[in-house]
Amino acid sequence: MTTIGYARVSTVDQDLTIQIDALEAAGCEIIRCAVPVREAALQLGDIKKRIRIPLVADIHFNYKLALIAIEQGVDGLRLNPGNIGARKYVEEVVRAASERKIPIRIGVNAGSLEKDLLQKYDGPTAAGMVESGLRHIHILEDVGYNEIKISLKASDPLMMIEAYRMLADQVEYPFHLGVTEAGTPSIGTIKSAVGLGTLLAEGIGDTIRVSLAADPVEEVRVGREILKSLRLKKEGLTFVACPSCGRADVDLVGLAKTVEERMLPYSNLDIHVAVMGCEVNGPGEARAADLGVAGGKGIGLIFKRGEIIRKVPEAQIVDALMEEVEKFAAEKKLEQAAAADA
């Protein structure tokens, strides 16, 4: 079952641990760092000591960087064995990885397929991606290494779906899923949900990364929502709001947007919040949530676990709801503390 959020920080710098903390708070469970130069590789050990989630080094072309990363104590490598030179270099990396039981993820991208495969398939195709992936897999298998994960990413969701399906029929290695270069959040979220969601619903995939032209924290949030929508992840905030319609008696769109923004600090809290705008579906949805709002003419009913606990003017709905969220969070902490002491 896929339960891992995945995000990438593009550079290794002094602020990296701050970025990783923010990503972890949003729900990231594995962090991948690009390691373009030796100086970056040498920082990985210190970074590893200051973070709480597994650290993966993203290596391209230079096998020596992979060796340094392994020495620094990383938990995994993203590396294409066909791109780091002679077989002896691959063997050297494999020996070091094997000693520390470090998995290697092969990353195939439709935008960087080998020239002969582009010619053979007349451009990037799912079949070409699969052939590229098998090439890299066979290199590692030939030197006796099977701690492998593989990704087949494309900016076209249909191409990546087809590629993963094809490879799933040929190998049993774990898959890392992603629609690469998906675009801005408005477009990329849809493409990622279609590509990742289709495969995950079919039982294909072990880790995911949402690729957006946005803050990596937004990538993690989108990834969590994809997993939660498929019930592959249950922890954290579940937020629902009804669409705008003629029955809404409050500014539903503005209300929902404000509540969503105010709930961001509570994204890891196990809570179901519903914001509803009318008396038709509103009460039912609000009652089904841990906390909910059902809007009326100029007022809002605040629900907690199915019971109406407050009736407030429309202007006070958000503040009243957030007061209840804070109380709910405090109750959760007490419950967790009691469970830990039991």
Side-chain angles (χ1 to χ4, degrees):
M1 179 179 293
T2 302
T3 57
I4 298 178
Y6 208 107
R8 174 183 179 178
V9 177
S10 59
T11 59
V12 180
D13 55 36
Q14 294 179 346
D15 296 327
L16 183 57
T17 53
I18 297 175
Q19 296 178 51
I20 294 174
D21 286 344
L23 289 165
E24 184 179 6
C28 176
E29 295 171 286
I30 298 176
I31 188 72
R32 186 175 85 235
C33 293
V35 184
V37 294
R38 187 173 185 274
E39 290 74 17
L42 291 171
Q43 294 185 57
L44 294 172
D46 288 338
I47 293 167
K48 173 67 178 172
K49 293 175 183 177
R50 298 200 297 267
I51 65 175
R52 296 176 292 274
I53 56 179
L55 176 64
V56 175
D58 192 351
I59 309 292
H60 290 276
F61 308 118
N62 191 337
Y63 81 99
K64 292 182 179 179
L65 297 181
L67 295 175
I68 295 173
I70 293 171
E71 292 173 357
Q72 292 289 309
V74 297
D75 301 287
L77 294 176
R78 189 277 195 190
L79 177 144
N80 287 355
N83 295 340
I84 61 171
R87 179 187 175 97
K88 63 180 181 180
Y89 299 145
V90 177
E91 291 176 343
E92 194 169 346
V93 171
V94 163
R95 278 197 297 272
S98 180
E99 289 173 359
R100 294 167 176 80
K101 296 182 180 179
I102 293 175
I104 295 175
R105 177 170 72 82
I106 295 166
V108 175
N109 192 307
S112 57
L113 284 179
E114 296 92 322
K115 291 182 179 179
D116 67 307
L117 294 178
L118 291 174
Q119 293 176 348
K120 177 179 179 179
Y121 293 100
D122 193 24
T125 64
M129 293 169 64
V130 170
E131 185 168 340
S132 176
L134 289 171
R135 283 182 179 179
H136 293 295
I137 288 173
H138 292 154
I139 291 172
L140 290 180
E141 289 178 337
D142 287 346
V143 295
Y145 204 64
N146 299 101
E147 297 296 323
I148 301 170
K149 181 187 291 185
I150 185 164
S151 64
L152 303 169
K153 296 185 180 181
S155 58
D156 179 350
L158 290 179
M159 184 185 296
M160 65 82 73
I161 290 170
E162 182 182 0
Y164 280 107
R165 284 172 173 168
M166 291 173 63
L167 190 60
D169 289 334
Q170 301 182 57
V171 302
E172 295 184 358
Y173 294 116
F175 284 172
H176 171 63
L177 306 185
V179 177
T180 192
E181 296 115 19
T184 59
S186 59
I187 298 173
T189 295
I190 296 171
K191 292 170 68 174
S192 296
V194 170
L196 276 62
T198 298
L199 291 168
L200 292 170
E202 296 175 1
I204 296 174
D206 299 273
T207 62
I208 68 169
R209 187 261 172 122
V210 173
S211 300
L212 301 176
D215 186 327
V217 170
E218 183 65 18
E219 297 181 340
V220 174
R221 289 179 182 141
V222 171
R224 282 179 64 95
E225 289 305 314
I226 291 172
L227 294 177
K228 287 172 66 178
S229 69
L230 293 167
R231 299 182 182 176
L232 297 174
K233 181 173 286 295
K234 298 179 180 179
E235 303 85 0
L237 168 66
T238 297
F239 178 74
V240 298
C242 63
S244 177
C245 76
R247 295 191 302 268
D249 292 318
V250 295
D251 176 16
L252 187 280
V253 174
L255 177 62
K257 183 177 181 181
T258 302
V259 171
E260 183 179 29
E261 291 172 351
R262 294 276 295 272
M263 287 300 301
L264 288 178
Y266 299 93
S267 59
N268 282 337
L269 177 65
D270 288 333
I271 185 172
H272 180 174
V273 175
V275 175
M276 312 306 294
C278 76
E279 69 278 6
V280 178
N281 297 320
E285 288 285 355
R287 286 193 178 95
D290 294 312
L291 289 171
V293 173
K297 293 183 179 180
I299 59 98
L301 299 177
I302 308 296
F303 288 77
K304 182 176 182 180
R305 295 188 173 117
E307 301 293 332
I308 298 174
I309 59 172
R310 297 174 69 174
K311 179 180 179 180
V312 298
E314 180 176 351
Q316 298 176 21
I317 289 176
V318 176
D319 288 338
L321 177 62
M322 295 312 300
E323 288 174 5
E324 298 305 324
V325 169
E326 291 176 6
K327 293 178 184 177
F328 187 92
E331 292 170 3
K332 279 286 187 180
K333 287 184 179 180
L334 290 175
E335 291 174 3
Q336 292 170 354
D341 292 338

